[in-house]
Amino acid sequence: MEAGQTERYLESEAKRNRAAVLVLVDSESSGDGDSARLAAGAERAGASAILVGGSSATDQIAMAQTVAAIKAATRLPVILFPGNVTGVVPQADAILFSSLMNSENPYFITQAQALGAPSVLKFGLEAMPTAYLVVGEGTSAWFVGSARGIPHSKPRIAAAYALAARFLGMRLVYLEAGSGAAAPVSPEMVRAVRGAFGGTLIVGGGIRDAGTARSLADAGADALVVGTLLEGSGDAGLRALSEITRALRGGEGGG
Ligand code: 1GP
């Protein structure tokens, strides 16, 4: 299976900037109008794509409506970020077709994928093969996904999982500290994973400021996910997002 249009777009956005910024919209914490306004604001603030989903978003109808509202309001690609089979909905451009590799429950490693795959095909979604790795403990992603969180202080374990992902043919790795995480994944861990994995490296969880974003991009992240920063914070959140995208402009070695 070859990389599709959205995956190639993400790669080019990662090259054009130090790292691309993906804004996570949680369809359960905001209405369709709010989601569409947030996505349009994110587009103006320089985000590269919108992710819809998350581990606690389980209402499939609300998610489908959110995707449709965002598609109508922006030109940015909408990429599904499913926490379960209920995260597979029509009209999105692509899906992070993910295996939570460090889950203790096989359901999140292969079974949900088997249950969701026919809908991915039916809806014509571009599947982006992603190793989803949960770092640390105490977050929704960690709890819902029954993850045995990779300790923040063990970058070599994360790198070993990323190497396994590479050998398994996955083209993306998502290092996830969890939404609202007290601390993001460390630059040391990103550097270690970068050394083991040449594909698209997504990093998310607890990223709230430009300095953190810049250090993760410099360590080798291709895309950074920002969610909580924008929830309910209106213009202040969008201003913070603009600061992050500005800090990431210019690509490798650029200003
Ligand atoms: C969570 O990585 C994303 O799945 C985003 O995390 O909400 O902490 O920005 P935040």
Side-chain angles (χ1 to χ4, degrees), residues 64-210:
Q65 288 167 344
T66 298
V67 169
I70 294 173
K71 286 300 291 176
T74 90
R75 281 176 311 187
L76 293 180
V78 175
I79 302 170
L80 300 176
F81 172 44
N84 210 321
V85 287
T86 49
V88 185
V89 298
Q91 293 189 47
D93 296 279
I95 180 168
L96 293 180
F97 197 81
S98 308
S99 172
L100 204 177
M101 288 181 74
N102 61 322
S103 178
E104 292 188 315
N105 182 349
Y107 177 82
F108 292 106
I109 305 173
T110 54
Q111 192 178 355
Q113 292 72 9
L115 294 173
S119 299
V120 170
L121 189 66
K122 183 174 169 189
F123 299 154
L125 300 167
E126 175 187 331
M128 298 161 65
T130 305
Y132 188 54
L133 303 175
V134 172
V135 180
E137 297 186 351
T139 60
S140 296
W142 167 82
F143 179 78
V144 175
S146 308
R148 194 145 68 107
I150 298 169
H152 279 277
S153 59
K154 301 287 181 196
R156 287 171 63 182
I157 295 181
Y161 270 100
L163 191 58
R166 173 175 138 193
F167 292 158
L168 286 165
M170 291 163 169
R171 294 193 295 265
L172 301 94
V173 162
Y174 188 148
L175 271 183
E176 171 71 280
S179 191
V185 171
S186 68
E188 291 70 33
M189 186 176 278
V190 172
R191 216 169 284 123
V193 168
R194 179 78 292 167
F197 182 76
T200 298
L201 175 53
I202 304 173
V203 179
I207 300 171
R208 300 179 188 86
D209 63 85

Side-chain angles (χ1 to χ4, degrees), residues 22 24 51 54-55 81 132 141 174-181 203-208 225-231:
L22 314 179
L24 173 61
L51 296 186
S55 50
F81 172 44
Y132 188 54
Y174 188 148
L175 271 183
E176 171 71 280
S179 191
V203 179
I207 300 171
R208 300 179 188 86
V225 181
V226 175
T228 307
L229 180 67
L230 295 161
E231 276 173 25

